[in-house]
């Protein structure tokens, strides 16, 4: 193992073991068995070292995603992606906080790659007519919520104690992003972990009075999402066209119109 690789490996291990996620360059040098000049020669300073640790963390996180073959159901891929993101944070709390620290002035290339992978999965969902927003906006919404939940779970574990929080937020965000028929199929069999344990069978057995109202609401939501979902799908399919059918100016204008239709705020 090279000196640089040994220093990086030791630094990542010390970050993981540190009570507050911080390390000193002196501790890294002692544990790696090198002098300070070697560390500074390879990483410049402490910020450069921590930046390399962050890159190492992102590569570790993306290892499984890079090897994953896209499934036939992009929605399930996105659900699994959310869950594995949170699991990674819970297993690497100090590293995850460092990976998302505002002190990191420049986003690592791997962080941008992670966003591209998410957007590509959403692009596949749009091509199948399952997305009610443009993939780029949907990716920003999902990534913001996913990172926010993960950071709260690792930063404030004494406050965020309910194991179902992540799944509840995931499903709420996905309800905003995916078409109603997609989410209706997902919620046909509720996740037991998200149910109120105090609710008895007797409490849920009489649904005859509300079933008609529920169907009406679902139909209305489906109607409201039809136009933005169609716009998002058309936009996604046009990007997959083997040869451009519009001029660059026409393509830019049409893309702007379709994005407006799919991303317009809805009550």
């Amino acid at each position: 193992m090279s000196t640089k690789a040994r220093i990086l490996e030791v630094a990542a291990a010390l970050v993981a073991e540190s009570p507050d996620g911080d390390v000193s360059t002196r501790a890294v040098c002692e544990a790696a068995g090198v002098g300070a000049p070697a560390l500074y020669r390879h990483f410049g300073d402490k910020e450069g070292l921590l930046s390399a640790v962050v890159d190492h963390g992102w590569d570790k996180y993306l290892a499984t995603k890079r090897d994953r073959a896209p499934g036939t159901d992009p929605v399930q891929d996105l659900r699994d992606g959310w869950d594995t993101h949170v699991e990674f944070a819970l297993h690497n709390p100090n590293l995850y906080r460092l990976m998302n620290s505002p002190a990191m002035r420049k986003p690592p290339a791997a962080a941008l790659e992670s966003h591209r992978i998410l957007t590509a999965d959403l692009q596949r969902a749009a091509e199948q007519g399952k997305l009610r927003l443009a993939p780029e906006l949907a990716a920003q919404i999902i990534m913001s919520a996913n990172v926010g939940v993960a950071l709260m779970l690792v930063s404030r574990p004494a406050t965020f104690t309910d194991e179902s929080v992540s799944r509840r937020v995931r499903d709420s965000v996905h309800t905003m992003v995916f078409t109603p028929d997609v989410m209706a199929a997902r919620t046909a069999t509720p996740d037991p972990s998200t149910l109120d344990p105090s609710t008895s069978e007797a409490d849920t057995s009489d649904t005859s009075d509300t079933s008609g109202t529920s169907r009406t609401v679902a139909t209305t939501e489906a109607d409201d999402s039809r136009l933005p979902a169609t716009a998002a799908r058309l936009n996604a399919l046009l990007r997959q066209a083997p040869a451009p059918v519009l001029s660059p100016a026409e393509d830019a204008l049409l893309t702007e119109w379709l994005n407006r239709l799919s991303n317009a705020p809805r009550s």
Side-chain angles (χ1 to χ4, degrees), residues 6-267:
R6 184 166 72 255
I7 295 173
L8 180 57
E9 187 174 281
V10 167
L14 290 177
V15 166
E17 297 166 2
S18 171
D20 58 2
D22 193 20
V23 294
S24 67
T25 54
R26 174 180 294 180
V28 173
C29 289
E30 290 177 354
V34 300
L39 186 150
Y40 295 134
R41 183 170 64 254
H42 289 294
F43 300 101
D45 53 17
K46 180 179 177 179
E47 183 178 342
L49 174 61
L50 292 180
S51 179
V53 171
V54 166
D55 288 337
H56 176 73
W58 278 107
D59 284 336
K60 181 179 178 181
Y61 168 67
L62 287 175
T64 56
K65 291 184 176 292
R66 288 168 175 157
D67 296 335
R68 171 183 62 85
T72 57
D73 184 359
V75 177
Q76 186 60 49
D77 286 346
L78 288 157
R79 288 168 64 88
D80 294 342
W82 177 294
D83 294 342
T84 56
H85 185 118
V86 172
E87 288 172 8
F88 177 86
L90 293 175
H91 286 102
N92 305 274
N94 286 346
L95 178 59
Y96 187 80
R97 283 195 294 269
L98 185 60
M99 288 164 59
N100 291 281
S101 170
M104 296 294 105
R105 299 171 189 170
K106 182 180 178 181
L112 301 178
E113 181 184 350
S114 173
H115 199 86
R116 287 194 296 270
I117 291 173
L118 171 61
T119 304
D121 283 339
L122 288 162
Q123 179 84 9
R124 291 193 295 122
E127 291 167 8
Q128 296 179 17
K130 297 179 178 180
L131 204 63
R132 61 197 298 177
L133 299 171
E136 293 79 10
L137 177 58
Q140 294 175 40
I141 292 171
I142 291 176
M143 184 65 79
S144 299
N146 205 175
V147 172
V149 167
L151 281 175
M152 289 299 99
L153 292 175
V154 301
S155 301
R156 303 180 187 175
T159 302
F160 292 84
T161 57
D162 193 322
E163 294 181 355
S164 71
V165 165
S166 177
R167 289 188 294 273
R168 289 175 185 269
V169 175
R170 178 199 66 194
D171 291 346
S172 296
V173 171
H174 283 186
T175 296
M176 181 195 311
V177 167
F178 296 117
T179 55
D181 56 315
V182 170
M183 296 311 297
R186 298 284 167 180
T187 56
T189 304
D191 185 337
S193 64
T194 64
L195 297 177
D196 186 347
S198 64
T199 303
S200 65
E201 291 184 3
D203 295 329
T204 59
S205 60
D206 185 10
T207 59
S208 58
D209 293 337
T210 60
S211 59
T213 302
S214 299
R215 284 194 296 270
T216 301
V217 171
T219 301
T220 301
E221 291 179 347
D223 290 341
D224 290 343
S225 71
R226 188 169 294 131
L227 176 59
T230 301
R233 185 181 189 191
L234 178 57
N235 204 354
L237 291 174
L238 285 173
R239 297 181 192 183
Q240 300 300 315
V245 295
L246 301 174
S247 70
E250 292 170 335
D251 183 72
L253 183 58
L254 180 58
T255 297
E256 180 183 352
W257 287 345
L258 293 174
N259 281 337
R260 285 189 186 182
L261 289 171
S262 57
N263 296 342
R266 291 178 288 280
S267 57

